[in-house]
């Protein structure tokens, strides 16, 4: 065991934050899983807890394995993974309509293990690495928009288009994060404004097409529109059931909460162990627990920025920001939805919500960040060793 901890490298604060979030997740997941057992009639609370532990165990295995990979390897891996991701997205979109009674246009089922896998989460991580690689490549060039269409925007376009019909919120987050990374990477702002305009135009055309031919994308566009309308409408309707239950949970939690496992709304709130788990956390641990959890995500954001700033290469800086910022951004969106500061999106709370794909892809991103911090530590250590053996310093010390 001691040898294992000796082999853990990279930013120790990130390791600590991720471990604390993962350990804490067992409490709300175990509590909220009672909804699946007694209301939905699926499995047992102990079974869901064991499954969550197994998924997190694999997730930390991903972190450990990935953080040992030299950071520059991810440049080539993104080129290999991008075509694979596009094929997976096409397959996911083209497959059957349901998995266990739910819309299956977001998931594919892994053979043998029987676990469903959301390909858009993998696509998001791979695309951010790919964009970081391209921005590093052109950092010293006066790039024109025409020159960047094929190598940069075409992959982005295909990923967004393949995710959009089934998952608007994920597509919007990926698009926003790509724009932010391009801005941080020095891509001309005038071109980014053109991309934003083009993106809005394409979204409008997609909505109009879906409205004109509803059989192509059944219920999806109507769902988006109804969620936005319900968010904008100050009056409560039947469609506001989820968010109303979430707000009841938040209000009833008070300052210090009802206590672990004592949530009432978990029995009425759909997706209480995933999309709305933050509401259950606030109900059980109060505003204190909610703010402490938010603090840890902001601490993670701070350490991500520190690691990016400490990276010696442009690719390392952009890579860390590209895969790290979406984690915190998604967490803040999940929290905002629970208190009705944002329309319902279906985004989970990273490292807390139950579910394998989201946790694994978050762990993949964390592993990449730790790989970059590990390289920075190695470079600093080597420089320190060189300074210690500097002949001039040795001579001056003898004198």
């Amino acid at each position: 065991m001691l040898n294992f901890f000796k082999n853990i490298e990279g930013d120790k604060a990130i390791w600590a934050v991720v471990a604390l979030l993962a350990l804490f997740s067992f409490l709300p997941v175990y509590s909220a899983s009672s909804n699946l057992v007694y209301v939905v009639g699926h499995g047992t609370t102990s079974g869901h807890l064991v499954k969550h532990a197994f998924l997190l165990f694999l997730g930390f295995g991903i972190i450990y394995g990935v953080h040992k990979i030299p950071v520059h390897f991810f440049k080539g891996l993104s080129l290999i993974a991008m075509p694979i991701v596009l094929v997976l997205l096409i397959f996911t979109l083209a497959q059957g309509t349901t998995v266990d009674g739910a819309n299956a246009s977001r998931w594919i089922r892994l053979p043998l293990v029987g676990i469903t896998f959301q390909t858009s989460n993998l696509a998001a991580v791979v695309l951010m690495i790919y964009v970081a690689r391209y921005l590093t490549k052109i950092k010293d060039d006066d790039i024109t928009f025409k020159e960047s269409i094929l190598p940069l925007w075409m992959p982005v376009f295909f990923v967004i288009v393949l995710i959009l019909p089934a998952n608007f919120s994920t597509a919007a987050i990926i698009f926003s994060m790509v724009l932010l990374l391009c801005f941080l990477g020095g891509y001309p702002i005038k071109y980014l404004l053109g991309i934003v305009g083009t993106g809005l135009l394409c979204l409008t055309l997609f909505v109009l097409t879906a409205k004109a031919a509803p059989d192509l994308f059944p219920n999806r566009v109507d769902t988006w529109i109804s969620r936005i309308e319900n968010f904008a409408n100050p009056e409560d309707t039947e469609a506001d059931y989820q968010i109303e239950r979430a707000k009841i949970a938040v209000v009833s939690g008070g300052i210090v909460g009802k206590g672990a496992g004592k949530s009432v709304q978990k029995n009425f709130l759909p997706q209480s162990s995933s999309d709305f788990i933050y509401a259950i956390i606030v109900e059980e641990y109060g505003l204190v627990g909610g703010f402490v959890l938010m603090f840890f995500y902001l601490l993670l954001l701070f350490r991500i920025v520190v690691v990016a700033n400490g990276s010696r290469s442009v690719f390392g800086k952009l890579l860390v920001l590209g895969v790290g910022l979406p984690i915190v951004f998604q967490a803040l969106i999940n929290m905002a939805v629970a208190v009705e500061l944002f329309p319902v999106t279906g985004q989970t709370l990273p490292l807390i919500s139950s579910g394998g794909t989201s946790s694994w892809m978050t762990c993949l991103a964390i592993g990449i960040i730790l790989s970059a911090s590990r390289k920075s530590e190695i470079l600093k250590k080597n420089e320190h060793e060189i300074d210690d053996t500097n002949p001039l310093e040795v001579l001056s010390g003898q004198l």
Side-chain angles (χ1 to χ4, degrees):
M1 183 62 71
L2 292 177
N3 290 332
F4 174 78
F5 284 109
K6 288 180 181 180
N7 289 326
I8 290 179
E9 301 173 280
D11 190 279
K12 297 301 188 293
I14 292 180
W15 274 108
V17 170
V18 172
L20 288 173
L21 289 174
L23 288 173
F24 171 72
S25 71
F26 285 95
L27 295 174
V29 166
Y30 181 72
S31 175
S33 63
S34 62
N35 174 277
L36 297 173
V37 178
Y38 301 112
V39 179
V40 182
H42 178 66
T44 64
T45 52
S46 299
H48 288 293
L49 188 65
V50 171
K51 179 182 177 182
H52 183 67
F54 174 71
L55 294 174
L56 283 180
F57 177 78
L58 291 180
F60 272 82
I62 292 172
I63 294 178
Y64 182 80
V66 172
H67 101 289
K68 291 292 186 178
I69 300 175
V71 69
H72 61 274
F73 280 23
F74 293 107
K75 285 185 180 181
L77 290 175
S78 67
L79 292 175
I80 299 172
M82 183 56 66
I84 298 174
V85 161
L86 292 176
V87 171
L88 287 175
L89 289 174
I90 294 172
F91 175 76
T92 305
L93 191 63
Q95 70 171 348
T97 56
T98 59
V99 169
D100 296 335
N103 189 316
S105 52
R106 300 185 186 186
W107 298 275
I108 57 175
R109 187 179 293 278
L110 298 178
L112 301 179
V113 294
I115 298 176
T116 54
F117 184 84
Q118 194 165 348
T119 52
S120 59
N121 290 328
L122 174 62
V125 177
V126 171
L127 183 62
M128 298 308 291
I129 301 173
Y130 179 86
V131 172
R133 183 203 68 83
Y134 177 79
L135 293 173
T136 303
K137 183 180 177 181
I138 65 167
K139 68 181 188 301
D140 297 323
D141 300 333
D142 293 328
I143 194 72
T144 64
F145 180 70
K146 184 178 180 180
E147 292 172 337
S148 64
I149 289 178
L150 187 60
L152 175 60
W153 296 115
M154 285 303 290
V156 173
F157 172 79
F158 282 123
V159 169
I160 298 298
V161 165
L162 291 172
I163 294 174
L164 180 63
N167 197 339
F168 170 75
S169 60
T170 298
I173 290 174
I174 293 175
F175 185 61
S176 301
M177 292 295 99
V178 168
L179 293 176
L180 177 60
L181 186 60
C182 287
F183 172 76
L184 296 174
Y187 191 81
I189 297 179
K190 59 182 179 179
Y191 298 153
L192 290 178
L193 294 176
I195 290 296
V196 172
T198 304
L200 293 175
L201 178 61
C202 291
L203 178 61
T204 302
L205 292 175
F206 174 78
V207 172
L208 293 176
T209 302
K211 280 291 188 180
D215 293 336
L216 290 176
F217 310 105
N219 302 326
R220 296 311 304 168
V221 173
D222 291 336
T223 301
W224 306 341
I225 295 175
S226 65
R227 285 178 176 178
I228 295 174
E229 289 177 346
N230 293 334
F231 175 75
N233 186 4
E235 298 181 0
D236 296 335
T237 64
E238 292 183 3
D240 294 319
Y241 177 81
Q242 291 188 97
I243 194 63
E244 287 306 311
R245 288 294 179 179
K247 289 194 295 183
I248 292 172
V250 170
V251 171
S252 60
I255 302 298
V256 295
K258 295 181 176 181
K262 296 181 179 180
S263 168
V264 174
Q265 296 306 314
K266 66 185 179 184
N267 297 315
F268 305 99
L269 183 60
Q271 308 298 328
S272 59
S273 63
S274 54
D275 299 355
F276 286 95
I277 198 169
Y278 186 70
I280 305 303
I281 291 173
V282 176
E283 184 181 7
E284 295 187 349
Y285 303 97
L287 289 177
V288 174
F291 280 121
V292 169
L293 186 60
M294 185 182 298
F295 166 78
F296 276 107
Y297 281 110
L298 294 178
L299 177 60
L300 179 61
L301 173 63
F302 172 73
R303 295 309 304 178
I304 288 171
V305 174
V306 169
V307 171
N309 187 59
S311 180
R312 305 295 180 88
S313 66
V314 175
F315 176 70
K317 294 178 184 294
L318 294 176
L319 179 66
V320 170
L321 294 175
V323 300
L325 293 181
I327 299 175
V328 181
F329 189 64
Q330 180 180 332
L332 295 178
I333 288 178
N334 179 278
M335 296 175 184
V337 168
V339 296
E340 205 180 13
L341 291 177
F342 210 77
V344 177
T345 61
Q347 297 297 317
T348 57
L349 190 59
L351 297 170
I352 300 292
S353 296
S354 60
T357 307
S358 179
S359 297
W360 290 345
M361 294 305 103
T362 300
C363 290
L364 173 61
I366 294 295
I368 293 172
I369 295 168
L370 291 172
S371 172
S373 66
R374 173 174 169 266
K375 181 178 180 180
S376 298
E377 290 180 355
I378 291 174
L379 291 175
K380 290 181 181 179
K381 182 179 179 180
N382 291 339
E383 289 179 355
H384 181 70
E385 290 176 351
I386 292 174
D387 290 340
D388 288 344
T389 57
N390 190 315
L392 294 178
E393 291 186 358
V394 175
L395 180 61
S396 62
Q398 291 176 345
L399 294 175

